[in-house]
């Protein structure tokens, strides 16, 4: 299925000494990386430079520096850039014996991707990538690991994504990862440490020219050659060997243009032209084949006819090297020159001969058949589509998308072409190639006339928009598509209505949600649970609680046994519209757990948006921030722009409640820059709310009131009713603090909370009533009722502490300092435990003003943990093993062990039992 083991085909044969001349800085960087990996730290470095500048020689130097370390090597080869996981197979094959040490979901995903077992679950990209990280960590366990990857720009996308995922998460596993990539290559390595490999310095370049030239160059000629070659060692060496003594000594003019840069390919082309035809034929087939399989190359070259193929003259000329069963080009530009010099007919013939010679290697055969085709060719298209299906089954979505798009180009039948373009759009989107997905989608829509396919295309288009585009446009596409599919595909039509509701919810368009609910009630077929949720939400928003509440409660009654993340998220939405914050959070947190180990891991960034929000509303700010940090990284890797905005907005709220103004403003600004033009009102309103909450946290009540009012008064796409409802207690506090009217806010909040039977919701209503009570005794009664409700439920400790703070402030201002000290002390201790310094300071100041001299309590150690450490500590405290933690957080078990080694001393515990006890407090 894949090209076998060894290193890259396109390697330098000799001349490493020339390439390393004057490379002291680069060698030191590589030796430092190797030494760090040997000592147990992980380092990643990208070597970037033009072809021929010496990147491969530097990689060889790193390998030589590795000594007895375990070395894994791979090199991208252009003909295999569309074969999913071909490069990963090459890199990991020597260590597949370590797979049993991985957590089961990761192990199965890696085995499936490498063709060693059944395919992993659909869209298991993060499980696979985490499995690669775990496998590299296991391979580094005994003395460190050095991974050396050349020509990364030619890695297939599935392999590149998995390697980059691991690279961004390496910390202290003892892995050194080196990636060599050409200048201007479209590979997303910008966020990794990079070393620019430029030309040699003038002295080293001159030394190389003098050493390689037939005669000593004259000084002016030497200076001119150094300047013209730009220090490129390959260009310097080739030019020095080709110039005549007269040209070198200045007695004859230098060629114009000098054969460097693009001219190097022409130079190699002239060398190829001088070879006998049997040798040229071998070179052309080798250039088309790309992986260096000498037996396959000779077999295919023989099939082209003519004299028996002969590689000897090409080897004697130094254009290729033959070692064992491999044929290797001296340099990638040699291969490029050979391929470019052949006309299209000869290239197609070479690919066809390779396809015939490959036999049972169906994936490589399919690509060569496609390269040999002219015009429409259903047989070649079907082979390529089948190859795409195999890639998709292993999780190689981007490569499957490329194969399906090429198969569609070859497909004669318009209906089949539309089907393949649709599949290409889906695979490309899942593979993180939105541009290719949009192109395929547009082409498919021009061809499709089948109603069911048109419905599928509409749903795809809407989902693309919802994830990374205009949420209002997504709602329109879903709604219109659902109506068109109502008769031909009722099940999909209801799904599209649900998608439309999700989009409308993101926009903040309640009128659209009401209409979607009415439409869903008239639909037949599809999922009854989903219909009940849509009908119930629409009715609630229309003010018809008599119809909406029973529908939502009926849906929730069947939610306990749900085991799909998407359905759990709809259950959470139902609970939220009933005002049951606790149930909403419970369903969302369960959805996150399910998504991490299921086939929905590709949608995990979206699920984590709601998990992070649920944890924040429950008062677990540190954990919420840790989840949003993870979700933000995954959203950016997956290309889910709107999900990134959600995580940024949540991080802004958490920074606000902690009083971290710079972080709050930065996160909010980034979220708004995405959410406003994309009309994602839910995220825009949360980012704006964060800025108002920051003002409230810092005691700037008038500024907070102004900010909250701007959030409420903005229209759909910039505001959201849910944010308005949930922010009501904050808005009332800000209004009271600056002397503005707050009674209308309370009236609206009471209407919304009428269906919310949870203690948490009713506690907040009681607190708001207390704030607006003019009579102190009435206020005290409301505060006491609020605290009773807080204590009877499992709500947010932050909100309970705020109630205690406001209660104590009211008592102190009423000259009841003695009574105020109890609630103020409780508030201060809770705020301090949660790491909310501005709130703790406010309670502390109030406590001192009440007449009690008290020092601030010690900070809780949990607040000193990093986001990664906190996530691990929480799961371990819940009883998860290291392997289970690794599976759920897309880490390696050894990384979990490393973090626990740091967590225990930070928290002052020595066992899992002690850790669980501390986390539970």
């Amino acid at each position: 299925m894949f090209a076998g083991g060894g290193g890259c085909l396109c390697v330098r044969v000799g001349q490493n000494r020339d390439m390393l001349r004057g490379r002291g800085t680069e060698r030191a960087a590589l030796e430092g990386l190797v030494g760090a990996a040997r000592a147990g730290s992980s380092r990643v470095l990208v070597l970037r430079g033009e072809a021929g500048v010496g990147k491969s020689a530097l990689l060889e130097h790193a390998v030589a520096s590795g000594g007895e370390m375990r070395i894994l090597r791979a090199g991208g080869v252009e003909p295999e850039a569309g074969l999913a996981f071909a490069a990963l197979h090459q890199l990991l094959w020597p260590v597949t014996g370590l797979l049993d040490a991985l957590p089961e979901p990761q192990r199965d995903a890696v085995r499936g991707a490498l063709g060693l077992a059944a395919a992993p679950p659909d869209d298991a990209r993060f499980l696979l990538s985490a499995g690669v990280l775990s496998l590299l960590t296991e391979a580094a366990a005994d003395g460190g690991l050095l991974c050396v990857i050349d020509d990364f720009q030619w890695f297939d996308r599935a392999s590149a994504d998995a390697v980059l995922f691991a690279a961004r998460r390496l910390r202290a596993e003892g892995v050194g990862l080196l990636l060599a990539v050409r200048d201007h290559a479209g590979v997303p390595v910008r966020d990794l440490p990079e070393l620019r490999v430029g030309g040699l310095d003038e002295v080293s370049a001159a030394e190389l020219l003098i050493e390689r030239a037939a005669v000593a160059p004259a000084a002016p000629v030497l200076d001119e050659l150094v300047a013209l070659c730009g220090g490129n060692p390959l260009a310097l060496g080739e030019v020095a060997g080709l110039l005549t003594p007269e040209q070198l000594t200045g007695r004859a003019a230098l060629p114009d243009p000098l054969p460097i840069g693009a001219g190097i390919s022409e130079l190699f082309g002239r060398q190829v032209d001088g070879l006998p035809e049997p040798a040229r034929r071998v070179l052309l087939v080798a250039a088309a084949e790309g992986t260096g399989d000498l037996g396959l190359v000779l077999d295919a070259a023989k099939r082209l006819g003519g004299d028996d193929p002969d590689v000897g003259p090409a080897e004697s000329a130094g254009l290729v090297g033959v070692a064992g069963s491999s044929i290797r080009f001296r340099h990638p530009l040699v291969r490029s020159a050979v391929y470019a010099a052949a006309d299209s007919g000869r290239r197609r013939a070479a690919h066809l001969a390779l396809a015939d010679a490959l036999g049972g290697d169906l994936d490589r055969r399919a690509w060569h058949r496609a390269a040999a085709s002219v015009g429409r060719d259903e047989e070649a298209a079907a082979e390529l589509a089948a190859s795409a299906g195999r890639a998709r089954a292993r999780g190689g979505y981007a490569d499957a998308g490329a194969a399906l798009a090429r198969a569609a180009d070859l497909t004669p039948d318009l209906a089949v072409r539309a089907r393949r373009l649709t599949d290409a759009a889906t695979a490309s989107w899942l593979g993180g190639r939105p541009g290719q997905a949009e192109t395929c989608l547009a082409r498919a829509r021009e061809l499709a006339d089948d109603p069911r396919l048109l419905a599928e295309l509409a749903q795809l288009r809407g989902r693309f928009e919802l994830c990374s585009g205009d949420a209002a446009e997504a709602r329109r596409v879903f709604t219109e598509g659902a109506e068109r599919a109502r008769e031909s595909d009722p099940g999909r039509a209801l799904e599209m209505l649900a998608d439309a509701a999700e989009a409308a919810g993101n926009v903040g368009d309640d009128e659209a949600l009401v209409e979607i609910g009415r439409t869903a009630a008239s639909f037949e077929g599809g999922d009854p649970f989903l219909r009940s949720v849509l009908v119930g939400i629409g009715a609630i928003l229309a003010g018809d609680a008599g119809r909406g509440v029973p529908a939502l409660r009926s849906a929730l009654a069947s939610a306990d046994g749900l085991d799909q993340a998407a359905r759990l998220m709809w259950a959470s939405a139902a609970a939220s519209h009933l005002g049951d914050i606790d149930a909403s959070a419970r369903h969302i947190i369960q959805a996150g757990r399910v998504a991490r180990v299921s086939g929905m891991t590709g949608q995990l960034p979206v699920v984590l948006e709601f998990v992070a929000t649920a944890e924040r509303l429950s008062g677990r700010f540190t954990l919420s921030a840790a989840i949003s940090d993870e979700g933000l990284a995954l959203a950016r890797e997956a290309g889910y722009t709107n999900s990134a905005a959600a995580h940024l907005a949540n991080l802004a709220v958490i920074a606000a409640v902690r009083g971290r103004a710079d972080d709050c403003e930065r996160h909010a600004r980034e979220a708004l820059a995405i959410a406003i033009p994309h009309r994602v009102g839910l995220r825009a309103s949360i980012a704006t709310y964060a800025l108002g909450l920051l003002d409230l946290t810092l005691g700037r009540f008038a500024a907070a009131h102004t900010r909250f009012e701007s959030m409420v008064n903005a229209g759909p796409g910039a505001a959201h009713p849910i944010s308005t409802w949930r922010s009501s207690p904050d808005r009332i506090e800000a209004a009271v603090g600056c002397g503005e009217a707050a009674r209308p806010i309370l009236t609206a909040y009471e209407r919304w909370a009428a269906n919310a039977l949870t203690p948490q919701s009713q506690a907040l209503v009681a607190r708001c009533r207390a704030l607006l009570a003019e009579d102190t005794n009435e206020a005290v009664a409301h505060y006491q009722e609020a605290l009773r409700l807080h204590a009877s439920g499992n709500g947010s400790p932050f909100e309970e502490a705020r109630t205690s703070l406001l209660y104590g402030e009211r008592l102190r201002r009423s000259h009841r300092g003695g009574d105020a000290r109890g609630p103020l002390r409780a508030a201060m201790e809770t705020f301090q435990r949660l790491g909310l310094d501005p709130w703790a300071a406010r309670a502390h100041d109030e406590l001192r003003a009440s007449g009690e001299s008290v020092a601030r309590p010690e900070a809780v150690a949990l607040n000193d943990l990093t986001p990664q450490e906190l996530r691990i500590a929480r799961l371990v405290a819940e009883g998860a093993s290291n392997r289970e933690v690794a599976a759920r957080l897309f880490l390696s078990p050894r990384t979990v062990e490393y973090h626990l080694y740091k967590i225990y001393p930070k928290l002052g515990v020595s066992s899992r039992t002690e850790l669980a006890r501390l986390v539970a407090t």
Side-chain angles (χ1 to χ4, degrees), residues 812 828 840-850 856:
R812 188 192 66 77
M828 183 185 71
R842 177 174 159 184
H844 178 264
D845 292 345
E846 286 287 335
L847 193 56
R848 292 188 63 182
S850 73
R856 294 192 189 180

Side-chain angles (χ1 to χ4, degrees), residues 115-406:
L116 302 175
D122 289 343
D123 200 8
R125 72 184 92 168
F126 295 131
L127 288 175
L128 166 66
S129 298
V132 172
L133 173 61
S134 293
L135 187 56
L136 295 180
T137 303
E138 290 296 327
D142 187 15
L145 170 70
L146 180 62
C147 294
V148 177
I149 295 176
D150 204 355
D151 285 321
F152 188 63
Q153 72 276 357
W154 286 330
F155 258 42
D156 60 273
R157 184 60 181 264
S159 298
D161 286 347
V163 168
L164 291 172
F165 181 100
R168 294 180 180 114
R169 288 160 178 79
L170 287 169
R171 293 295 182 269
E173 301 83 0
V175 177
L177 176 58
L178 286 171
L179 306 171
V181 62
R182 282 194 188 179
D183 272 342
H184 313 301
V187 182
V189 295
R190 293 181 299 278
D191 55 343
L192 297 179
E194 187 171 292
L195 177 63
R196 182 77 173 81
V197 183
L200 300 179
D201 60 80
E202 292 183 3
V203 173
S204 300
E207 289 175 353
L208 175 56
L209 274 169
I210 293 169
E211 183 177 304
R212 298 290 299 276
V215 299
V221 175
L222 188 65
D223 291 342
E224 185 174 0
L225 290 175
V226 169
L228 289 171
C229 291
N232 186 300
L234 179 67
L236 289 163
E238 294 299 329
V239 168
L242 285 170
L243 296 179
T244 66
E246 288 76 14
Q247 291 168 330
L248 288 167
T249 57
R251 292 193 297 272
L254 292 173
D256 185 19
L258 198 67
I260 60 172
I264 294 178
S265 294
E266 182 183 343
L267 180 156
F268 289 139
R270 290 201 299 271
Q271 291 179 272
V272 173
D273 288 342
L275 297 176
E277 169 57 26
R280 294 202 303 273
R281 196 182 335 130
V282 171
L283 288 183
L284 174 59
V285 174
E289 191 271 339
T291 70
D293 185 335
L294 180 60
L296 175 62
V297 167
L298 293 177
D299 184 359
K302 189 171 184 178
R303 291 170 186 265
L304 287 175
D307 297 335
D308 286 344
D310 183 8
V311 73
E315 187 176 19
S316 299
L319 295 171
V320 294
V322 174
S325 61
S326 297
I327 176 171
R328 301 169 182 265
F329 281 98
R330 171 185 175 188
H331 189 275
L333 293 178
V334 179
R335 177 173 166 264
S336 299
V338 169
Y339 196 77
D343 61 41
S344 58
R346 292 186 63 210
R347 290 198 293 263
R348 287 196 301 271
H351 284 293
L352 184 59
L354 283 165
D356 292 341
L358 277 164
D361 192 338
L362 300 180
D363 294 321
R364 294 171 67 198
R365 171 188 169 89
W367 278 102
H368 284 296
R369 280 292 305 273
S373 297
V374 179
R376 308 292 184 194
D377 184 340
E378 176 54 32
E379 187 176 350
E383 287 190 26
L384 201 52
S387 176
R390 290 186 289 272
R392 187 169 46 198
R394 297 193 304 273
Y397 292 101
D399 303 292
L404 284 162
R406 176 63 179 136

Side-chain angles (χ1 to χ4, degrees), residues 190 263 342 385 462 505 628 672 801 913:
R190 293 181 299 278
S628 271
L672 289 168
T913 301

Side-chain angles (χ1 to χ4, degrees), residues 375-382 385 404-422 443-444 446-450 453:
R376 308 292 184 194
D377 184 340
E378 176 54 32
E379 187 176 350
L404 284 162
R406 176 63 179 136
D409 290 338
L410 297 172
T411 303
D413 184 272
L414 294 181
V416 177
R417 195 187 313 165
R419 176 72 263 171
R420 286 171 177 162
L421 284 168
T422 303
R443 292 178 59 198
E446 292 177 357
L447 298 173
D449 57 9
D450 176 69
L453 183 58

